Amino acid sequence: MHESWQQFWAMGGYAPYVWGSYAIAAIVIVGNIVTPVLVHRHIARRIKNEEYDD
Amino acid sequence: MLWLHRFGSLPYFYRVSRPIAIALAVPGVLLAAYGVYGGLVNAPVDYQQGDAFRILYIHVPSAWLSLFGYTSMAIAGVVALVWRLKLAEIFLVAAAPVGASFTFLALVTGAIWGKPMWGTWWVWDARLTSELILLFLYLGVIALHNAIESPRTAARACALLSVVGVINVPIIHYSVEWWNTLHQGPTVTRFGRPAMEMDMLWPLLCAALGFTLMFGWLTLWNMRAQLLWRERRSRWAKKVFSDA
């Protein structure tokens, strides 16, 4: 439990370690969400334009 | 069994996988967010590690997923090799990048945690080394899949590597008991009295369950893209996108 917001962000002096870990986690998770959506959209568009039919 | 047969049909799977993925995503994200919030905000400060222990809430769920993901790939690998089920092939190929990224996350958050607690980013102890080997196994599956042109041959090679490599999973799990490691021993799966206060343990369990549901969601998302690529010349795939 933290006494104030300031203390929360400071993480008892471990702020770079704690927030760094969570930032990397956020990047990894967002990457996992976005990549398949982009790949799927790309393939779907090419199917629609009949680009695989040669 | 008729139900199973229907589920094995690729157009049917393509259709139902989207609502299933969303049904996994919503509780998964909520549980993970609740767990992380509980760990960052509500859990009391650790008497030995101060606030640095809060890295736990991302490190342990990631490490759990790295083992869960590889084990699920090995099971799918057996199904793919024995029954030649296409969906099992697609699953194990689709799960590999998700598992690899969470293995990477477990290693990186472990290093970031190790620096202030152990005074070093990395040691070659049994837990860290075996987890690094797991990352290489995942990358091996991905590389193998990319290297072989025919998707079915590629998937069979990946299935074989998944099944053989799964021996590493119990080694990782028991490494902290079999060898003298700098990495701490098990906290959650210990028998008897839990080694953690409930205010600390409860958010961790929520985060781990949330991450597991998210793994299912993200893997299904990858499966849909992989499935569409394999079936790009099929009549049903063309029909799906010409009507839309």
Side-chain angles (χ1 to χ4, degrees):
Chain A
M1 214 73 94
H2 311 272
E3 311 228 320
S4 68
W5 279 106
Q6 229 170 353
Q7 247 191 10
F8 172 71
W9 292 114
M11 279 290 153
Y14 295 112
Y17 300 104
V18 174
W19 298 122
S21 297
Y22 279 86
I24 295 167
I27 293 168
V28 166
I29 291 170
V30 169
N32 265 311
I33 297 169
V34 172
T35 315
V37 172
L38 293 180
V39 172
H40 185 277
R41 191 177 296 171
H42 177 79
I43 299 169
R45 193 170 47 227
R46 293 191 69 173
I47 291 176
K48 198 175 179 181
N49 297 342
E50 304 183 345
E51 289 176 46
Y52 293 123
D53 290 348
D54 36 34
Chain B
M1 282 322 270
L2 202 66
W3 165 85
L4 205 67
H5 184 75
R6 200 159 151 231
F7 203 77
S9 120
L10 299 183
Y12 179 76
F13 175 82
Y14 183 77
R15 197 147 37 87
V16 297
S17 58
R18 194 181 149 94
I20 294 174
I22 292 166
L24 291 172
V26 174
V29 171
L30 289 177
L31 268 172
Y34 175 77
V36 164
Y37 173 82
L40 281 174
V41 180
N42 286 340
V45 170
D46 187 76
Y47 78 103
Q48 277 181 323
Q49 302 199 357
D51 282 316
F53 97 98
R54 296 181 198 281
I55 295 173
L56 176 91
Y57 296 97
I58 211 80
H59 175 74
V60 170
S62 310
W64 150 248
L65 266 199
S66 72
L67 301 180
F68 175 83
Y70 203 88
T71 308
S72 70
M73 281 165 59
I75 294 169
V78 171
V79 174
L81 288 171
V82 177
W83 289 286
R84 305 277 163 102
L85 197 66
K86 268 192 188 176
L87 270 182
E89 295 176 3
I90 293 171
F91 172 85
L92 79 96
V93 165
V98 185
S101 63
F102 281 99
T103 309
F104 168 79
L105 193 56
L107 286 165
V108 169
T109 53
I112 294 174
W113 196 359
K115 185 62 183 164
M117 290 303 123
W118 302 339
T120 177
W121 301 103
W122 185 262
V123 284
W124 291 101
D125 87 355
R127 172 54 71 80
L128 279 69
T129 308
S130 53
E131 182 76 12
L132 184 65
I133 291 171
L134 183 67
L135 178 62
F136 291 149
L137 283 168
Y138 272 119
L139 296 179
V141 171
I142 296 169
L144 209 52
H145 181 248
N146 291 339
I148 302 172
E149 192 86 38
S150 150
R152 296 219 76 173
T153 315
R156 284 234 289 285
C158 293
L160 208 58
L161 180 56
S162 304
V163 172
V164 173
V166 81
I167 186 67
N168 193 32
V169 169
I171 293 177
I172 295 172
H173 183 74
Y174 290 108
S175 59
V176 289
E177 292 173 14
W178 291 344
W179 294 285
N180 225 334
T181 52
L182 191 53
H183 193 283
Q184 67 185 66
T187 312
V188 180
T189 57
R190 215 168 70 166
F191 287 110
R193 253 157 58 112
M196 275 174 110
E197 243 178 278
M198 280 316 284
D199 285 352
M200 283 184 178
L201 184 60
W202 187 237
L204 179 62
L205 297 178
C206 286
L209 181 61
F211 267 55
T212 311
L213 295 175
M214 284 172 67
F215 175 83
W217 163 41
L218 297 171
T219 301
L220 275 177
W221 239 215
N222 270 343
M223 283 178 79
R224 286 170 61 80
Q226 180 64 31
L227 175 63
L228 209 54
W229 169 251
R230 280 196 182 201
E231 298 289 306
R232 62 192 181 278
R233 292 194 181 90
S234 70
R235 199 175 294 159
W236 73 265
K238 279 179 212 164
K239 210 168 158 233
V240 167
F241 292 101
S242 60
D243 291 346

